[in-house]
Coordinates of all heavy atoms in Angstrom, one line a residue:
S1047 N 144.1 61.9 -2.0 CA 144.1 60.6 -2.4 C 145.0 59.7 -1.5 O 146.1 60.2 -1.3 CB 144.5 60.5 -3.9 OG 144.5 59.1 -4.5
Y1048 N 144.6 58.5 -1.2 CA 145.5 57.6 -0.4 C 145.3 56.1 -0.9 O 144.6 55.3 -0.5 CB 144.9 57.6 1.0 CG 146.0 57.2 2.0 CD1 147.0 58.1 2.6 CD2 146.0 55.8 2.4 CE1 148.0 57.6 3.4 CE2 147.0 55.3 3.3 CZ 147.9 56.2 3.7 OH 148.9 55.8 4.8
P1049 N 146.1 55.9 -2.0 CA 146.2 54.5 -2.5 C 147.2 53.7 -1.7 O 148.4 54.2 -1.6 CB 146.5 54.7 -4.0 CG 147.3 56.0 -4.0 CD 146.9 56.8 -2.9
S1050 N 147.0 52.6 -1.3 CA 147.8 51.7 -0.4 C 147.9 50.3 -1.2 O 146.9 49.7 -1.4 CB 147.3 51.5 0.8 OG 148.2 50.8 1.8
F1051 N 149.2 50.0 -1.5 CA 149.4 48.7 -2.0 C 150.1 47.7 -1.3 O 150.9 48.0 -0.4 CB 150.4 48.8 -3.2 CG 149.8 49.7 -4.4 CD1 150.0 51.1 -4.4 CD2 149.3 49.1 -5.5 CE1 149.4 52.0 -5.3 CE2 148.7 50.0 -6.5 CZ 148.9 51.3 -6.5
E1052 N 149.7 46.4 -1.4 CA 150.2 45.4 -0.4 C 150.4 44.1 -1.2 O 149.4 43.6 -1.9 CB 149.2 45.0 0.7 CG 149.6 44.0 1.7 CD 150.9 44.4 2.4 OE1 151.1 45.5 2.9 OE2 151.8 43.5 2.5
P1053 N 151.7 43.7 -1.4 CA 152.9 44.3 -0.9 C 153.1 45.6 -1.7 O 152.8 45.7 -2.9 CB 153.9 43.1 -1.1 CG 153.4 42.4 -2.4 CD 151.9 42.4 -2.2
G1054 N 153.8 46.5 -1.0 CA 154.2 47.7 -1.8 C 154.1 49.0 -0.6 O 154.3 48.6 0.6
Y1055 N 153.6 50.1 -1.2 CA 153.7 51.2 -0.3 C 152.4 52.0 -0.4 O 151.7 51.8 -1.5 CB 154.9 52.1 -0.6 CG 156.1 51.2 -1.1 CD1 156.4 51.2 -2.4 CD2 156.8 50.5 0.0 CE1 157.6 50.4 -2.8 CE2 157.9 49.7 -0.4 CZ 158.3 49.7 -1.6 OH 159.4 48.9 -2.1
A1056 N 152.1 52.9 0.5 CA 151.0 53.9 0.3 C 151.6 55.1 -0.4 O 152.9 55.5 -0.3 CB 150.6 54.4 1.7
I1057 N 150.8 55.7 -1.3 CA 151.2 56.8 -2.0 C 150.3 57.9 -1.8 O 149.5 58.4 -2.6 CB 151.4 56.6 -3.6 CG1 152.1 55.2 -3.8 CG2 152.1 57.6 -4.3 CD1 152.2 54.8 -5.3
P1058 N 150.3 58.6 -0.6 CA 149.4 59.7 -0.3 C 149.6 60.8 -1.2 O 150.8 61.3 -1.3 CB 149.6 59.9 1.2 CG 150.9 59.4 1.5 CD 151.2 58.2 0.6
N1059 N 148.7 61.6 -1.7 CA 148.9 62.6 -2.6 C 147.6 63.6 -2.5 O 146.6 63.3 -2.3 CB 149.4 62.2 -3.9 CG 148.0 61.5 -4.7 OD1 147.2 62.1 -5.3 ND2 148.0 60.2 -4.6
V1060 N 148.0 64.9 -2.8 CA 147.1 66.0 -2.9 C 147.1 66.5 -4.4 O 148.1 66.8 -4.8 CB 147.3 67.1 -1.9 CG1 146.2 68.0 -1.9 CG2 147.4 66.4 -0.5
Q1061 N 145.9 66.6 -5.0 CA 145.8 67.2 -6.3 C 144.8 68.4 -6.3 O 143.6 68.1 -6.4 CB 145.3 66.0 -7.4 CG 146.4 65.1 -7.5 CD 146.0 64.0 -8.5 OE1 145.9 64.4 -9.7 NE2 145.9 62.7 -8.1
P1062 N 145.2 69.5 -6.2 CA 144.1 70.5 -6.1 C 144.0 71.2 -7.6 O 144.9 71.8 -8.2 CB 144.8 71.7 -5.2 CG 146.2 71.4 -5.3 CD 146.5 70.1 -5.7
F1063 N 142.8 70.8 -8.1 CA 142.5 71.4 -9.5 C 142.1 72.8 -9.5 O 140.8 73.0 -9.3 CB 141.5 70.4 -10.2 CG 142.1 69.1 -10.5 CD1 142.1 68.1 -9.6 CD2 142.7 68.8 -11.7 CE1 142.6 66.7 -9.8 CE2 143.2 67.5 -12.0 CZ 143.1 66.5 -11.1
V1064 N 142.9 73.7 -9.4 CA 142.5 75.2 -9.3 C 142.0 75.5 -10.7 O 142.8 75.5 -11.7 CB 143.8 76.0 -8.8 CG1 143.4 77.5 -9.0 CG2 144.2 75.6 -7.5
P1065 N 140.8 76.0 -10.8 CA 140.3 76.5 -12.1 C 140.8 77.7 -12.7 O 140.6 79.0 -12.1 CB 138.7 76.6 -11.8 CG 138.7 76.9 -10.4 CD 139.9 76.3 -9.8
V1066 N 141.5 77.7 -13.7 CA 142.1 78.9 -14.4 C 140.9 79.5 -15.1 O 140.9 80.8 -15.2 CB 143.3 78.6 -15.2 CG1 143.9 79.7 -16.0 CG2 144.5 78.1 -14.3
G1067 N 140.2 78.8 -15.9 CA 139.1 79.3 -16.7 C 138.2 78.1 -17.2 O 138.4 76.8 -16.7
R1068 N 137.5 78.2 -18.2 CA 136.6 77.1 -18.8 C 137.4 76.0 -19.3 O 136.8 75.0 -19.5 CB 135.5 77.7 -19.7 CG 134.4 78.6 -18.9 CD 133.4 79.0 -19.9 NE 132.3 79.7 -19.3 CZ 131.2 79.8 -19.9 NH1 131.0 79.5 -21.2 NH2 130.2 80.6 -19.2
H1069 N 138.6 76.4 -19.7 CA 139.3 75.4 -20.7 C 140.7 75.1 -20.0 O 141.6 74.5 -20.7 CB 139.5 75.9 -22.0 CG 138.3 76.2 -22.6 ND1 137.4 75.3 -23.3 CD2 137.5 77.4 -22.8 CE1 136.4 75.8 -23.8 NE2 136.4 77.2 -23.6
R1070 N 140.9 75.4 -18.8 CA 142.3 75.2 -18.2 C 142.1 75.1 -16.7 O 141.4 75.8 -16.0 CB 143.2 76.5 -18.6 CG 144.6 76.2 -18.1 CD 145.3 75.2 -18.7 NE 145.6 75.4 -20.2 CZ 146.4 76.0 -20.7 NH1 147.3 76.6 -20.1 NH2 146.5 76.2 -22.1
S1071 N 142.9 74.1 -16.2 CA 143.0 74.0 -14.8 C 144.6 73.8 -14.4 O 145.4 73.3 -15.3 CB 142.3 72.9 -14.1 OG 142.6 71.6 -14.7
R1072 N 145.0 74.1 -13.2 CA 146.4 74.0 -12.7 C 146.3 73.2 -11.5 O 145.6 73.3 -10.6 CB 147.1 75.4 -12.4 CG 148.4 75.4 -11.9 CD 148.8 76.7 -11.3 NE 150.1 76.6 -10.7 CZ 151.3 76.9 -11.3 NH1 151.3 77.3 -12.6 NH2 152.4 76.7 -10.7
V1073 N 147.3 72.2 -11.4 CA 147.4 71.3 -10.4 C 148.9 71.4 -9.7 O 149.8 70.9 -10.3 CB 147.0 69.9 -10.7 CG1 147.2 69.1 -9.4 CG2 145.9 69.8 -11.4
D1074 N 149.1 72.0 -8.5 CA 150.3 72.0 -7.8 C 150.1 70.7 -6.9 O 149.6 70.8 -5.7 CB 150.3 73.2 -6.8 CG 150.7 74.4 -7.7 OD1 151.4 74.3 -8.8 OD2 150.3 75.5 -7.5
Q1075 N 150.5 69.6 -7.3 CA 150.4 68.2 -6.7 C 151.5 68.0 -5.8 O 152.6 68.4 -5.9 CB 150.4 67.2 -7.7 CG 150.0 65.8 -7.4 CD 149.8 64.9 -8.4 OE1 149.8 65.2 -9.6 NE2 150.0 63.5 -8.2
T1076 N 151.1 67.4 -4.7 CA 152.0 66.9 -3.7 C 151.9 65.3 -3.6 O 150.9 64.8 -3.1 CB 151.8 67.5 -2.3 OG1 152.0 69.1 -2.4 CG2 152.8 67.0 -1.4
N1077 N 152.9 64.7 -4.0 CA 153.0 63.2 -3.8 C 153.9 62.9 -2.6 O 155.1 63.0 -2.7 CB 153.5 62.4 -5.0 CG 152.6 62.2 -6.1 OD1 151.6 61.5 -5.9 ND2 152.6 63.0 -7.3
Y1078 N 153.3 62.7 -1.5 CA 154.0 62.6 -0.2 C 154.6 61.2 0.0 O 154.1 60.5 0.8 CB 153.1 63.1 1.0 CG 153.9 63.4 2.2 CD1 154.8 64.6 2.2 CD2 153.7 62.8 3.3 CE1 155.3 65.0 3.2 CE2 154.4 63.3 4.5 CZ 155.2 64.4 4.4 OH 155.9 64.8 5.6
T1079 N 155.6 60.9 -0.6 CA 156.2 59.6 -0.7 C 157.4 59.4 0.3 O 158.1 58.6 0.1 CB 156.7 59.3 -2.1 OG1 157.6 60.4 -2.5 CG2 155.6 59.1 -3.1
V1080 N 157.4 60.3 1.3 CA 158.6 60.3 2.2 C 158.9 59.1 2.9 O 159.9 58.8 3.5 CB 158.4 61.4 3.3 CG1 158.5 62.8 2.4 CG2 157.2 61.4 4.0
H1081 N 157.8 58.2 3.1 CA 157.9 57.0 3.8 C 158.3 55.7 3.0 O 158.4 54.7 3.5 CB 156.6 56.7 4.7 CG 156.4 57.8 5.6 ND1 157.1 58.1 6.7 CD2 155.3 58.7 5.7 CE1 156.5 59.2 7.3 NE2 155.4 59.5 6.8
A1082 N 158.4 55.9 1.8 CA 158.7 54.9 0.8 C 160.2 54.8 0.6 O 160.8 55.9 1.0 CB 158.1 55.0 -0.6
P1083 N 160.7 53.6 0.3 CA 162.2 53.5 0.1 C 162.8 54.3 -1.1 O 162.0 54.5 -1.9 CB 162.5 52.1 0.1 CG 161.1 51.5 -0.5 CD 160.1 52.4 -0.1
A1084 N 164.1 54.7 -1.0 CA 164.8 55.2 -2.1 C 165.0 54.0 -3.2 O 165.2 53.0 -2.8 CB 165.9 56.0 -1.8
P1085 N 165.0 54.3 -4.4 CA 164.9 55.7 -5.2 C 163.3 55.9 -5.4 O 163.0 57.0 -6.0 CB 165.6 55.5 -6.3 CG 165.4 54.0 -6.8 CD 165.4 53.3 -5.4
F1086 N 162.4 55.1 -5.0 CA 161.0 55.1 -5.4 C 160.5 56.5 -4.8 O 159.7 57.1 -5.5 CB 160.2 54.0 -4.7 CG 158.8 53.9 -5.0 CD1 158.3 53.3 -6.2 CD2 157.8 54.6 -4.2 CE1 156.9 53.4 -6.6 CE2 156.5 54.5 -4.5 CZ 156.0 53.9 -5.8
R1087 N 160.8 56.8 -3.6 CA 160.2 58.1 -2.9 C 160.6 59.4 -3.8 O 159.9 60.4 -3.8 CB 160.9 58.3 -1.7 CG 162.2 58.7 -1.3 CD 162.5 59.2 0.0 NE 162.5 58.2 1.0 CZ 163.7 57.6 1.5 NH1 164.9 58.1 1.1 NH2 163.6 56.5 2.2
W1088 N 161.8 59.3 -4.5 CA 162.1 60.5 -5.3 C 161.6 60.5 -6.7 O 161.3 61.5 -7.4 CB 163.8 60.5 -5.5 CG 164.4 60.5 -4.1 CD1 164.1 61.2 -3.1 CD2 165.6 59.8 -3.8 NE1 164.9 60.9 -2.0 CE2 165.9 60.2 -2.4 CE3 166.5 58.9 -4.3 CZ2 167.0 59.6 -1.7 CZ3 167.6 58.5 -3.7 CH2 167.8 58.8 -2.4
V1089 N 161.5 59.3 -7.2 CA 161.1 59.1 -8.7 C 159.6 59.1 -8.7 O 159.0 59.7 -9.9 CB 161.6 57.7 -9.3 CG1 161.0 57.6 -10.7 CG2 163.1 57.8 -9.2
M1090 N 158.8 58.6 -7.8 CA 157.5 58.6 -7.9 C 156.7 60.0 -8.2 O 155.9 60.0 -9.0 CB 156.8 58.0 -6.7 CG 155.3 57.7 -6.9 SD 154.8 56.5 -8.2 CE 153.2 56.9 -8.4
P1091 N 157.0 61.0 -7.5 CA 156.3 62.3 -7.8 C 156.5 62.7 -9.2 O 155.7 63.4 -9.8 CB 157.1 63.3 -6.8 CG 157.5 62.4 -5.6 CD 158.0 61.0 -6.3
R1092 N 157.6 62.4 -9.9 CA 157.9 62.7 -11.3 C 156.9 62.1 -12.2 O 156.9 62.4 -13.5 CB 159.4 62.5 -11.8 CG 160.4 63.2 -10.9 CD 161.8 62.9 -11.2 NE 162.7 63.7 -10.5 CZ 163.1 64.9 -11.0 NH1 162.7 65.4 -12.1 NH2 164.0 65.6 -10.3
I1093 N 156.2 61.0 -11.7 CA 155.2 60.3 -12.7 C 154.1 61.3 -13.1 O 153.5 60.9 -14.1 CB 154.7 59.1 -11.7 CG1 154.3 57.9 -12.8 CG2 153.5 59.5 -10.9 CD1 155.5 57.2 -13.3
S1094 N 153.9 62.3 -12.5 CA 153.0 63.3 -12.8 C 153.2 63.8 -14.3 O 152.4 64.1 -15.0 CB 153.0 64.6 -11.7 OG 152.8 64.2 -10.6
Y1095 N 154.4 63.9 -14.6 CA 154.9 64.2 -16.0 C 154.6 63.2 -17.0 O 154.6 63.6 -18.2 CB 156.4 64.7 -16.0 CG 156.6 65.9 -15.1 CD1 157.9 65.9 -14.4 CD2 155.8 67.0 -14.9 CE1 158.1 66.9 -13.5 CE2 156.0 67.9 -14.1 CZ 157.3 67.9 -13.4 OH 157.6 69.1 -12.5
V1096 N 154.4 62.0 -16.6 CA 154.0 61.0 -17.5 C 152.5 60.8 -17.6 O 151.9 60.8 -18.7 CB 154.6 59.5 -16.9 CG1 154.2 58.4 -17.9 CG2 156.1 59.6 -16.9
I1097 N 151.8 61.0 -16.4 CA 150.3 60.8 -16.3 C 149.7 62.0 -17.0 O 148.7 61.8 -17.6 CB 150.0 60.8 -15.0 CG1 150.5 59.5 -14.2 CG2 148.5 60.7 -14.7 CD1 150.0 58.2 -14.6
Q1098 N 150.2 63.2 -16.7 CA 149.5 64.4 -17.3 C 149.3 64.5 -18.8 O 148.2 64.6 -19.3 CB 150.3 65.6 -16.8 CG 149.6 67.0 -17.2 CD 149.8 67.4 -18.7 OE1 150.8 67.0 -19.2 NE2 149.0 68.3 -19.2
P1099 N 150.2 64.1 -19.7 CA 150.0 64.1 -21.1 C 149.0 63.0 -21.4 O 148.3 63.1 -22.4 CB 151.4 63.8 -21.6 CG 152.4 64.3 -20.7 CD 151.8 64.0 -19.3
Q1100 N 149.0 61.9 -20.7 CA 148.0 60.8 -21.0 C 146.7 61.3 -20.7 O 145.6 61.1 -21.5 CB 148.4 59.6 -20.2 CG 149.6 58.9 -20.7 CD 150.2 57.8 -19.7 OE1 149.6 57.7 -18.5 NE2 151.0 57.0 -20.2
D1101 N 146.5 61.8 -19.6 CA 145.2 62.4 -19.2 C 144.6 63.5 -20.1 O 143.5 63.7 -20.6 CB 145.1 62.8 -17.8 CG 144.9 61.7 -16.8 OD1 144.3 60.7 -17.1 OD2 145.5 61.9 -15.6
N1102 N 145.6 64.4 -20.4 CA 145.3 65.6 -21.2 C 144.9 65.3 -22.6 O 144.0 65.9 -23.3 CB 146.5 66.5 -21.3 CG 146.0 68.0 -21.3 OD1 145.1 68.4 -20.8 ND2 146.8 68.8 -22.0
S1103 N 145.4 64.1 -23.0 CA 145.0 63.6 -24.4 C 143.5 63.3 -24.6 O 143.0 63.4 -25.7 CB 146.0 62.5 -24.9 OG 145.5 61.4 -24.1
V1104 N 142.9 62.9 -23.4 CA 141.6 62.6 -23.4 C 140.7 64.0 -23.0 O 139.6 64.2 -23.6 CB 141.3 61.5 -22.4 CG1 139.7 61.3 -22.2 CG2 142.0 60.2 -22.9
L1105 N 141.2 64.7 -22.0 CA 140.4 65.8 -21.5 C 140.3 66.9 -22.5 O 139.2 67.5 -22.5 CB 141.2 66.3 -20.2 CG 141.1 65.3 -19.1 CD1 142.0 65.9 -17.9 CD2 139.7 65.3 -18.5
R1106 N 141.4 67.1 -23.1 CA 141.4 68.4 -24.1 C 140.2 68.3 -25.2 O 139.4 69.2 -25.3 CB 142.8 68.5 -24.8 CG 142.7 69.8 -25.7 CD 143.9 69.8 -26.6 NE 145.2 69.9 -25.9 CZ 146.0 68.8 -25.8 NH1 145.9 67.6 -26.4 NH2 147.2 69.0 -25.1
P1107 N 140.1 67.2 -25.8 CA 139.0 67.2 -26.8 C 137.7 67.0 -26.2 O 136.6 67.6 -26.6 CB 139.3 65.9 -27.7 CG 140.3 65.0 -26.8 CD 141.0 66.0 -26.0
Q1108 N 137.7 66.4 -25.0 CA 136.3 66.1 -24.4 C 135.8 67.4 -23.8 O 134.6 67.8 -23.9 CB 136.6 65.1 -23.1 CG 135.2 65.0 -22.4 CD 134.1 64.2 -23.1 OE1 134.4 63.8 -24.2 NE2 132.9 64.1 -22.6
N1109 N 136.7 68.3 -23.3 CA 136.1 69.6 -22.8 C 135.7 70.5 -23.9 O 134.5 71.2 -23.8 CB 137.4 70.3 -22.2 CG 137.1 71.5 -21.3 OD1 136.5 71.4 -20.2 ND2 137.1 72.8 -22.1
A1110 N 136.2 70.3 -25.1 CA 135.6 71.2 -26.2 C 134.3 70.7 -26.6 O 133.5 71.5 -27.1 CB 136.8 71.1 -27.4
R1111 N 134.2 69.4 -26.5 CA 132.9 68.8 -27.0 C 131.7 69.4 -26.2 O 130.5 69.5 -26.7 CB 132.9 67.3 -26.9 CG 133.8 66.7 -27.9 CD 134.1 65.2 -27.7 NE 132.8 64.4 -27.9 CZ 132.7 63.9 -29.1 NH1 133.5 64.0 -30.1 NH2 131.6 63.1 -29.3
Y1112 N 131.8 69.8 -25.0 CA 130.8 70.3 -24.2 C 130.2 71.7 -24.8 O 129.1 72.0 -24.4 CB 131.1 70.5 -22.7 CG 131.2 69.2 -21.9 CD1 132.4 68.5 -21.7 CD2 130.0 68.5 -21.6 CE1 132.5 67.4 -20.8 CE2 130.0 67.4 -20.8 CZ 131.3 66.9 -20.6 OH 131.4 65.5 -19.9
F1113 N 131.1 72.4 -25.5 CA 130.7 73.7 -26.1 C 130.2 73.4 -27.6 O 130.0 74.4 -28.2 CB 131.7 74.6 -25.9 CG 132.2 74.9 -24.6 CD1 133.1 74.1 -23.8 CD2 131.4 75.8 -23.7 CE1 133.4 74.3 -22.4 CE2 131.6 76.0 -22.4 CZ 132.7 75.3 -21.7
E1114 N 130.2 72.3 -28.0 CA 129.6 71.9 -29.5 C 128.2 71.3 -29.3 O 128.2 70.1 -29.0 CB 130.7 71.1 -30.2 CG 132.1 71.8 -30.1 CD 133.2 70.9 -30.7 OE1 132.8 69.7 -31.1 OE2 134.3 71.3 -30.8
A1115 N 127.3 72.1 -29.8 CA 125.9 71.6 -29.6 C 125.5 70.2 -30.1 O 124.7 69.5 -29.6 CB 125.0 72.6 -30.1
N1116 N 126.2 69.9 -31.3 CA 125.8 68.7 -32.1 C 126.7 67.5 -31.6 O 126.5 66.3 -32.2 CB 125.8 69.0 -33.4 CG 124.8 70.0 -33.9 OD1 123.7 70.0 -33.4 ND2 125.2 70.8 -35.0
Q1117 N 127.5 67.5 -30.7 CA 128.4 66.5 -30.3 C 127.7 65.7 -29.2 O 127.0 66.1 -28.3 CB 129.7 67.0 -29.8 CG 130.5 67.7 -31.0 CD 131.2 66.8 -31.9 OE1 131.2 65.6 -31.6 NE2 131.6 67.1 -33.1

Side-chain angles (χ1 to χ4, degrees):
S1047 181
Y1048 199 89
S1050 182
F1051 296 83
E1052 181 62 40
Y1055 325 106
I1057 312 174
N1059 64 88
V1060 183
Q1061 298 183 62
F1063 289 86
V1064 175
V1066 175
R1068 290 186 172 192
H1069 303 279
R1070 182 66 62 89
S1071 60
R1072 176 190 175 98
V1073 184
D1074 289 327
Q1075 183 171 345
T1076 301
N1077 276 295
Y1078 201 59
T1079 53
V1080 295
H1081 300 296
F1086 184 83
R1087 75 167 71 105
W1088 304 319
V1089 176
M1090 185 61 199
R1092 296 177 178 270
I1093 211 74
S1094 300
Y1095 300 142
V1096 177
I1097 298 295
Q1098 186 275 342
Q1100 294 170 343
D1101 281 331
N1102 211 36
S1103 68
V1104 173
L1105 290 171
R1106 183 191 297 112
Q1108 179 68 3
N1109 193 77
R1111 290 168 71 92
Y1112 283 107
F1113 297 94
E1114 298 171 2
N1116 296 324
Q1117 292 287 342

